[in-house]
């Protein structure tokens, strides 16, 4: 698989998702023929990564509108509302999900007759735009990296997490092709192991030199092997630049800062949430404790042991050196710089 490929396809009138829970051991496509099936797939981590769940949600709106039109004809706009709410609520932290549902709903007014062709074109456009955006971000981000650098990335932000190429992993792909990256470190990313299973797999497919580390090795990695950048994606960027991303990002950013390495966040404009003033207002998804107390179906903690399982954390803007998006780079982000940047970008 290369960065040009991703884990979603529209096939014979339904959304098919490469089941990311099984990768890299098994490649199995799951067919979603209803909005509820798409919402379940997002909630259950069949598809994950902020841009990818936004794209899946857009196709879910197509399926919702098709069902509503079959049921209620020209009153389909009323019948579709419930499904839109179910899709938007599937996961709370990644703002791309609500963004995609809103963007699809923004097309409703112009539709006469069967909504499916117009909405399908809109969903495909969101996906195409995401790929273009990722290549633009990759060029901006790569330019910040000195030739021959070592970098650390967290979670999976590659082709599987997006429409293709990736956000943080897109920067890494492009920077490696330009000779700027000599080695990538990937942390495991407990508990779903997006780093060990997905990022490692994508890097291996592309032949990019990389090594895996346990999450707990990150500070020691910065101390000993001296990667110069931590490069991560984002699920939501507040107005002041505080950034929600996979749990462990904050820890890695603290370790990077303590050792003189820099922190790059790579995310499209759709991940910015100017309505949320700062990180304390971001809803952080909590998932079942069994994700921590079991591993591959085996209990690894005593029976009935309690757990706290927030699956994202918020890295304060003060720890971030650069936010890279399709319109360029925001260095040392704060409320004023982000507001000026978004205004110039037309948001
Ligand atoms: O729980 P996940 O796997 O959906 O979390 C994914 C992340 O945190 C990614 O870093 C983020 O969505 C950016 S993906 C391009």
């Amino acid at each position: 698989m290369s960065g040009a490929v991703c884990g979603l396809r529209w096939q014979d009138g339904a959304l098919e998702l490469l089941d990311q829970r099984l990768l890299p051991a098994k490649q199995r496509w799951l067919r979603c023929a209803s909005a509820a099936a798409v919402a379940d797939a997002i909630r259950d981590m069949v598809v994950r990564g902020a841009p990818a769940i936004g794209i899946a949600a857009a196709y879910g709106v197509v399926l919702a509108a098709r069902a509503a039109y079959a049921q209620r004809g020209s009153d389909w706009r009323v019948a579709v509302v419930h499904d839109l709410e179910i899709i938007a609520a599937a996961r709370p932290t990644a703002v791309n999900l609500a963004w995609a549902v809103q963007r699809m709903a923004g097309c409703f007014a112009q539709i006469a007759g069967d909504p499916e062709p117009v909405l399908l074109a809109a969903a495909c456009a969101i996906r195409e735009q995401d790929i273009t955006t990722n290549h633009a971000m990759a060029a901006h981000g790569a330019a910040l990296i000195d030739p021959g650098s070592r970098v650390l990335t967290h979670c999976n932000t590659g082709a599987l997490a997006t429409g293709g190429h990736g956000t943080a992993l897109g920067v890494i792909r492009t920077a490696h092709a330009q000779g700027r990256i000599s080695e990538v470190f990937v942390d495991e990313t407990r508990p779903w192991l997006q780093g060990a299973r997905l990022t490692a797999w994508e890097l291996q497919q592309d032949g990019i030199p990389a090594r895996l580390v346990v999450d707990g090795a990150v500070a020691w990695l910065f101390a000993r092997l001296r990667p110069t950048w931590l490069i991560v994606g984002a699920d939501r960027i507040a107005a002041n630049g505080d950034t929600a991303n996979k749990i462990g990002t904050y820890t890695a950013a603290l370790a990077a800062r303590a050792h003189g390495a820099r922190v790059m966040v790579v995310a499209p404009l759709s991940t910015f949430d100017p309505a949320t003033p700062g990180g304390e207002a971001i809803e952080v998804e909590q998932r079942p404790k069994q994700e921590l107390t079991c591993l591959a179906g085996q209990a690894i903690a005593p029976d009935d042991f309690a757990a706290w399982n927030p699956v994202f954390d918020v890295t304060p803007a003060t720890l971030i050196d650069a936010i890279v998006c399709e319109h360029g780079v925001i260095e040392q982000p704060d409320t004023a710089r982000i507001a000026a940047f978004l205004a110039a970008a037309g948001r």
Side-chain angles (χ1 to χ4, degrees):
M1 189 173 107
S2 89
V5 182
C6 89
L8 308 94
R9 64 188 182 203
W10 183 259
Q11 191 89 10
D12 301 328
L15 177 65
E16 293 187 347
L17 299 167
L18 186 56
D19 191 337
Q20 297 195 29
R21 300 169 302 183
L22 307 178
L23 291 173
K26 285 191 193 132
Q27 295 182 39
R28 192 169 73 197
W29 288 87
L30 189 83
R31 190 168 167 82
C32 301
S34 69
V38 173
D40 287 347
I42 292 171
R43 191 181 315 103
D44 296 345
M45 307 283 285
V46 173
V47 58
R48 31 65 48 202
I53 63 179
I55 294 165
Y59 286 108
V61 174
V62 178
L63 295 167
R66 176 201 289 164
Y69 186 64
Q71 206 184 17
R72 299 279 294 271
S74 60
D75 281 341
W76 65 270
R77 288 178 188 78
V78 179
V80 87
V81 171
H82 181 61
D83 274 349
L84 264 52
E85 285 168 0
I86 288 175
I87 297 169
R91 292 189 74 190
T93 305
V95 72
N96 309 60
L97 181 56
W99 171 87
V101 171
Q102 276 163 20
R103 181 160 144 169
M104 294 295 286
C107 302
F108 288 1
Q110 73 187 64
I111 298 173
D114 183 356
E116 184 166 341
V118 174
L119 293 178
L120 185 56
C124 293
I126 287 176
R127 181 178 176 180
E128 290 306 315
Q129 187 189 333
D130 187 63
I131 298 170
T132 307
T133 293
N134 289 342
H135 283 279
M137 294 193 296
H140 294 307
L144 300 175
I145 301 170
D146 290 333
S149 298
R150 287 172 153 174
V151 303
L152 169 68
T153 192
H154 181 58
C155 196
N156 172 265
T157 61
L160 291 165
T162 64
H165 200 60
T167 57
L169 204 59
V171 168
I172 289 169
R173 283 192 159 106
T174 296
H176 174 260
Q178 295 175 350
R180 295 173 188 272
I181 289 184
S182 58
E183 185 172 28
V184 182
F185 294 102
V186 182
D187 63 18
E188 288 178 298
T189 319
R190 280 276 295 150
W192 278 85
L193 302 173
Q194 290 95 330
R197 294 187 301 105
L198 308 177
T199 301
W201 191 55
E202 290 200 41
L203 287 167
Q204 191 176 55
Q205 302 293 317
D206 280 8
I208 298 176
R211 277 190 273 178
L212 191 62
V213 297
V214 296
D215 295 354
V218 161
W220 192 234
L221 174 78
F222 279 112
R224 280 302 174 99
L225 300 186
R226 315 293 306 177
T228 50
W229 280 100
L230 167 67
I231 308 179
V232 294
D235 283 80
R236 190 181 294 246
I237 300 174
N240 68 351
D242 291 351
T243 294
N245 192 50
K246 179 53 53 193
I247 190 78
T249 304
Y250 181 25
T251 312
L254 286 166
R257 182 57 64 89
H259 292 92
R262 283 180 288 171
V263 177
M264 186 192 304
V265 170
V266 188
L269 280 185
S270 52
T271 304
F272 286 75
D273 180 15
T276 297
E280 66 291 339
I282 297 176
E283 183 184 352
V284 171
E285 179 182 1
Q286 295 275 343
R287 293 186 65 92
K289 72 166 193 168
Q290 287 75 15
E291 292 183 353
L292 300 189
T293 57
C294 297
L295 188 62
Q298 295 289 315
I300 56 168
D303 280 353
D304 296 330
F305 205 75
W308 183 56
N309 186 21
V311 297
F312 298 98
D313 57 27
V314 178
T315 301
T318 48
L319 290 177
I320 298 170
D321 294 280
I323 298 179
V324 176
C325 77
E326 62 270 43
H327 287 267
V329 179
I330 310 170
E331 303 215 34
Q332 312 305 328
D334 60 18
T335 305
R337 288 201 178 118
I338 289 177
F341 190 89
L342 292 182
R347 252 201 90 181

